[in-house]
Amino acid sequence: MTESSTGIQELMAAETRASQIVAEARIGRGDRMKQAKVEAQVLIDAYRAEKQEEFNNMVLSKGGSEGNASAKLQADTNKEIQEMQSSFQKNATQAVDLLLSKCCEVSLEVPTARIRATQKNAGMVS
């Protein structure tokens, strides 16, 4: 009986060691995954910075500086706004007059198609 209890104790000890080894392996794997993620992020950031620099150089070589383009766009926008405002001031009274004249025009004539439809519904037309 001593041999069997010694064998069982050895098996239990081996099982405990195996579970410890598995736990350590899981922890190590998690650490390696975290480290790989950090390294991958560093590579991604470096690549992004490189491509951004290439893009900035291309923009500068093709179109000049961003400040000049932005200032020109702002000047064009302001010019168009001024033109629209002056056009509005010039045409506002005419537009209001036209709308009022159309609202105040009331035709008292009944269209002939409406008369026929009403007579047909009333049974007056044969």
Side-chain angles (χ1 to χ4, degrees), residues 83-100:
E83 289 173 359
M84 287 181 197
Q85 286 177 342
S86 66
S87 175
F88 171 77
Q89 294 294 331
K90 183 175 134 185
N91 297 324
T93 56
Q94 293 173 352
V96 169
D97 291 342
L98 177 66
L99 287 172
L100 288 175

Side-chain angles (χ1 to χ4, degrees), residues 69-86:
S70 177
K72 183 178 183 309
L73 180 63
Q74 186 65 40
D76 291 345
T77 303
N78 289 339
K79 180 181 173 187
E80 288 180 18
I81 289 172
Q82 290 296 329
E83 289 173 359
M84 287 181 197
Q85 286 177 342
S86 66

